[in-house]
Structure formats: structure tokens, C-alpha cells
Amino acid sequence: MRIRSADILRWGRIVAALIMWVAATAGLTSYGMTFPRLAVWIERVQFMPAAMTFGITTIVIWLIVTLLFGRVYCSVACPLGVWQDICSRLPRLRRHLPSHLRYRYSQPLTLLRNISLAFVAAAILLGINIVTSHTDPWKIYSELCTDVAKPIWGAAVNILSYPPVMIAAASLTGTTISIIIAGVISWLAVKNGRTFCNSICPVGTTLGYVAKYSIYHIDINTDKCTQCRKCEQACKASCIDLTSHVVDSSRCVECFDCLPVCENDAIHYTWSRHQLSTPLMIKVGDIKPSGTRFKLDGCTGCSSNPQVNQQNNPQNATISRPSE
Ligand code: SF4
Ligand code: SF4
Ligand code: SF4
């Protein structure tokens, strides 16, 4: 069996994410002295706690990492992001997915993202903790663990082993709020993948602005793409636009799920942008014969590969620059 670089990237990301998530969850839910220290260390590398305490070093490091490699923070370092991946994966474990469980490209919710980010930034500057604590992904996940999972784990420990532990339960209101917020985020993840990450989360929006210009990014080779849509259906961030063959880097969380599903080796994680080998055939929209402008709206299967065009859109297979 041949191991492809796409598989190595994807499995490397999964292993790193699981290590981080297990360490954070164990640190936040366990009793005693050893594991809770893990949670303290992991909190130090989280973006929002650093932003709220003006921890410039952590913020600058993550911005540089994002500028180089995209939103790897969201795939590996954020336990709420990994939790959403687990929730979204569970109903999609079966081999043949029904169509309603396949991901599809969606337009970015730019206005909602910006409003959410502006709201949280103002709350940080004005010190309004109620807003920041309910939009901070680390806080949301740590409250889910400490208010809900930790008391349950403590009760299980007291039944199964000795000596007993002292269960520190949160208030009923705190527990209810934690369950509601985590429940809504988990449900959104089950339905559509990273919806919270790409609509409400202020960290995701901030990193997204930097990731837009990231050096390494997902790129589609339009000469090889057959428009099979397998990558789009695997993308939990709904950010692969196959009409224009562009991946929205501001929403891509560098999970690499789209790479191994492509049977044509047409999608890559790379620093370069693919140049069309026959650019005149795809740039029909730019051609202005006699002052008119062609439009390709509605052409969903266009490719620079004539054979692919023939197969997908027989009517477009012979598009070429008209003589002027
Ligand atoms: S967008 Fe927010 S919640 Fe999602 S993974 Fe990134 S930091 Fe975590
Ligand atoms: S990039 Fe690959 S998986 Fe995606 S549509 Fe093109 S051929 Fe299919
Ligand atoms: S384009 Fe989608 S599937 Fe591919 S790495 Fe980005 S988020 Fe993951």
C-alpha cells in the first residue's frame, strides 16, 4: 500500500489534535494534583485567554504560525475545535453517506463574523466579562468539562474506587448555561461541521483575516480537477468553492480531510498557486469582443482540461478566444 503525503498530513494532524484534546480534557476533569497542571499549561497557549490578559508573546506566535501555515491553531490547539470535529465525525462514520450529511460549499457569513469580533473586542477593552467568557472557545470548553464532566467523573470515581474525591459542583445556573452553549455548538457541528468556528468565534475570525494571506494553503490544480466534488463533500468548513476552484483560506482550518479523497491528485497543501496550463480557455469572462462581456454564470463544470469539459459541459468544450 502506497502512503501518500496527503495521508501523512491528515493523520499527523489527527494525532496531534487528539493528544492536545485528551491532555486538555484530562487536565480539566481529573482530581488530584498531576493532571490539572496540564490544563494550566494548555491554557497558557490559548489565544483568547492571552488576548484578555494582553499576552502579546502568545498572540504574536500564533499570528506568525497562521501566516505561515494557515489556521492550524483551529485544527490542533483548540479543544473546542477538536470537540466539534468529534461531534461532526460521529454521524459520518458510515461508508456511504446520505446526501444530507455531505458537506457543501457555503458563502462566508462575513457580516456576522465581523459583528461578533467587534462585539467581543469591545467587551475585552471595556472589561465586560459576561460577553468574553461566553464567546471564548477555551472558556466554553473548560466550563463544559468542569461544570458537567468533572462532577460526573467524580461520582464515578467515588463509586468505583477508594479513597473518595471531593466533588466540586457548579451552581445549577452555571451548569445549565454550560450545557446549553456546548449543546448548541455540538448540534451545529453534527449538522454542518465547523459552523460556530466560521460564524461566531472571535478567534476564528481574527485568525481567518491572517490565514487569508497564509503562505501554505490549500490549492486546486484546475488542469487535473474533474469536478467530482469529493473534496467539497469532505470539507467541514464548507470553504471549497468548485465553481471558481478557490478555497477560502480565511475559513479553512487546515484539517487536510480534502487531500486524500481526491483521486486525481488535484488538491494540495502548498506554498504556490497553480497556474493554468491553458489560461485562455478559462478566462472567457475577461474577453470583450466588440465591447461586450461574456458571462460564465451557471457553468458549473468548467475546467481547463478539454476532456473534462467535454464530459461535464459538452456545450462549453470548445470555448476559446474569438478573433478580435
Ligand atoms: S474557530 Fe474558535 S472554536 Fe473553532 S477551533 Fe478556532 S478557536 Fe476553536
Ligand atoms: S479537486 Fe479532486 S476531489 Fe476536488 S473536485 Fe477536483 S478532482 Fe474532485
Ligand atoms: S479546505 Fe476544508 S477539508 Fe480542506 S483542509 Fe481546509 S477545512 Fe479541511
Side-chain angles (χ1 to χ4, degrees), residues 46-47 71 73-75 78-82 84 135 137-138 194 196-198 201-205 207 253:
Q46 295 296 311
F47 195 92
R71 283 171 60 179
Y73 176 89
C74 293
S75 259
C78 173
L80 187 63
V82 183
Q84 289 175 80
T135 47
W138 170 257
R194 293 289 194 112
F196 173 79
C197 295
N198 286 330
C201 180
V203 181
T205 305
L207 296 180
V253 291

Coordinates of all heavy atoms in Angstrom, one line a residue, residues 46-47 71 73-75 78-82 84 135 137-138 194 196-198 201-205 207 253, ligand 1:
Q46 N -3.5 29.2 24.8 CA -4.7 29.5 24.1 C -4.8 31.0 23.7 O -4.4 31.9 24.5 CB -5.9 29.1 25.0 CG -6.0 27.7 25.3 CD -6.3 26.8 24.1 OE1 -7.2 27.1 23.3 NE2 -5.5 25.8 23.9
F47 N -5.4 31.3 22.6 CA -5.4 32.6 22.0 C -6.2 33.6 22.8 O -5.8 34.7 23.2 CB -6.0 32.5 20.6 CG -5.7 33.8 19.8 CD1 -4.5 33.8 19.0 CD2 -6.5 34.8 19.8 CE1 -4.2 35.0 18.3 CE2 -6.3 36.0 19.1 CZ -5.1 36.0 18.3
R71 N -4.8 28.2 9.5 CA -5.4 28.1 10.9 C -5.1 26.7 11.5 O -6.1 26.0 11.9 CB -6.9 28.4 10.7 CG -7.2 29.8 10.6 CD -8.7 30.1 10.3 NE -9.6 29.5 11.3 CZ -10.9 29.6 11.2 NH1 -11.5 30.3 10.2 NH2 -11.7 29.1 12.1
Y73 N -4.0 26.4 14.3 CA -4.5 26.5 15.7 C -5.8 25.9 15.9 O -6.1 25.2 16.8 CB -4.5 28.0 16.1 CG -5.1 28.3 17.4 CD1 -4.3 28.3 18.5 CD2 -6.5 28.5 17.6 CE1 -4.8 28.6 19.8 CE2 -7.0 28.8 18.9 CZ -6.1 28.8 20.0 OH -6.7 29.1 21.2
C74 N -6.7 26.1 14.9 CA -8.1 25.7 15.0 C -8.2 24.1 14.8 O -9.2 23.6 15.2 CB -9.0 26.4 14.0 SG -9.1 28.1 14.3
S75 N -7.2 23.5 14.2 CA -7.3 22.1 14.0 C -6.7 21.3 15.1 O -7.0 20.2 15.4 CB -6.6 21.7 12.7 OG -7.6 21.5 11.7
C78 N -7.0 24.1 19.7 CA -8.2 24.5 20.4 C -9.0 23.2 20.7 O -9.6 22.6 19.8 CB -9.0 25.4 19.5 SG -10.6 25.8 20.2
P79 N -9.2 22.9 22.0 CA -10.0 21.7 22.3 C -11.5 21.8 21.9 O -12.1 20.8 21.6 CB -9.9 21.6 23.9 CG -9.3 22.9 24.3 CD -8.7 23.6 23.2
L80 N -12.0 23.0 21.8 CA -13.4 23.1 21.4 C -13.5 22.8 19.9 O -14.5 22.2 19.4 CB -14.0 24.5 21.6 CG -15.5 24.7 21.3 CD1 -16.3 23.8 22.2 CD2 -15.9 26.2 21.5
G81 N -12.5 23.1 19.1 CA -12.4 22.8 17.7 C -12.4 21.3 17.5 O -13.1 20.7 16.7
V82 N -11.5 20.6 18.3 CA -11.4 19.2 18.2 C -12.7 18.5 18.6 O -13.2 17.5 18.0 CB -10.2 18.7 19.0 CG1 -10.0 17.1 18.8 CG2 -8.9 19.4 18.6
Q84 N -15.7 19.7 18.3 CA -16.6 19.8 17.2 C -16.3 18.8 16.1 O -17.2 18.2 15.5 CB -16.6 21.2 16.6 CG -17.1 22.3 17.5 CD -16.9 23.7 16.9 OE1 -17.7 24.1 16.0 NE2 -15.9 24.4 17.3
T135 N -18.1 33.7 24.8 CA -17.6 33.5 23.4 C -16.2 33.0 23.3 O -15.8 32.7 22.2 CB -17.7 34.9 22.7 OG1 -17.1 35.9 23.5 CG2 -19.2 35.3 22.4
P137 N -13.6 30.3 23.2 CA -13.7 28.9 23.0 C -13.1 28.1 24.1 O -13.6 27.0 24.5 CB -13.0 28.6 21.6 CG -12.3 29.9 21.3 CD -13.0 31.0 22.0
W138 N -11.9 28.6 24.7 CA -11.3 27.9 25.8 C -12.2 27.8 27.0 O -12.4 26.8 27.6 CB -10.0 28.5 26.1 CG -9.4 27.9 27.4 CD1 -9.4 28.6 28.6 CD2 -8.8 26.6 27.6 NE1 -8.8 27.7 29.6 CE2 -8.5 26.5 29.0 CE3 -8.5 25.6 26.8 CZ2 -7.8 25.4 29.5 CZ3 -7.9 24.4 27.3 CH2 -7.6 24.4 28.7
R194 N -18.0 22.9 11.0 CA -17.4 24.0 11.8 C -18.2 25.3 11.7 O -17.7 26.3 11.4 CB -16.0 24.3 11.3 CG -15.0 23.2 11.6 CD -14.7 23.1 13.1 NE -13.5 22.3 13.4 CZ -12.3 22.7 13.8 NH1 -12.2 24.0 14.1 NH2 -11.3 21.9 14.0
F196 N -19.9 27.0 14.1 CA -19.5 28.0 15.1 C -18.2 28.7 14.8 O -18.1 29.9 14.9 CB -19.5 27.3 16.5 CG -19.0 28.2 17.6 CD1 -19.8 29.1 18.2 CD2 -17.6 28.1 18.0 CE1 -19.3 29.9 19.2 CE2 -17.2 28.9 19.0 CZ -18.0 29.8 19.6
C197 N -17.2 27.9 14.4 CA -15.9 28.4 14.1 C -15.9 29.5 13.0 O -15.1 30.4 13.1 CB -15.0 27.3 13.6 SG -14.7 26.1 14.9
N198 N -16.8 29.3 12.0 CA -16.8 30.2 10.9 C -17.9 31.2 10.9 O -18.2 31.8 9.8 CB -16.7 29.4 9.6 CG -15.4 28.8 9.4 OD1 -14.4 29.4 9.8 ND2 -15.3 27.7 8.8
C201 N -17.2 32.5 16.4 CA -16.0 32.5 17.2 C -15.0 33.7 16.8 O -14.6 33.8 15.7 CB -15.2 31.2 17.0 SG -13.7 31.2 18.0
P202 N -14.7 34.6 17.8 CA -13.9 35.7 17.5 C -12.5 35.3 17.2 O -11.8 36.0 16.4 CB -14.0 36.5 18.8 CG -14.4 35.6 19.9 CD -15.2 34.5 19.2
V203 N -12.0 34.2 17.8 CA -10.6 33.7 17.5 C -10.6 33.3 16.0 O -9.6 33.6 15.3 CB -10.2 32.6 18.4 CG1 -8.8 32.2 18.1 CG2 -10.3 33.1 19.9
G204 N -11.6 32.5 15.6 CA -11.6 32.0 14.2 C -11.6 33.2 13.2 O -10.9 33.2 12.2
T205 N -12.4 34.2 13.5 CA -12.4 35.4 12.6 C -11.1 36.1 12.6 O -10.6 36.5 11.5 CB -13.5 36.4 13.1 OG1 -14.8 35.6 13.2 CG2 -13.7 37.5 12.1
L207 N -8.0 34.9 13.3 CA -7.0 34.1 12.6 C -7.4 34.0 11.1 O -6.5 33.9 10.3 CB -7.0 32.7 13.2 CG -6.5 32.7 14.7 CD1 -6.4 31.2 15.2 CD2 -5.1 33.3 14.8
V253 N -9.6 25.3 8.0 CA -8.9 25.1 9.3 C -7.7 24.1 9.2 O -7.3 23.5 10.1 CB -9.9 24.6 10.4 CG1 -10.9 25.7 10.7 CG2 -10.7 23.4 9.9
Ligands
SF4_1 S1 -12.6 28.9 15.4 FE1 -12.7 29.2 17.6 S2 -13.8 27.4 18.4 FE2 -13.2 27.0 16.3 S3 -11.3 25.9 16.5 FE3 -10.7 28.0 16.1 S4 -10.5 28.9 18.1 FE4 -11.6 27.0 18.4

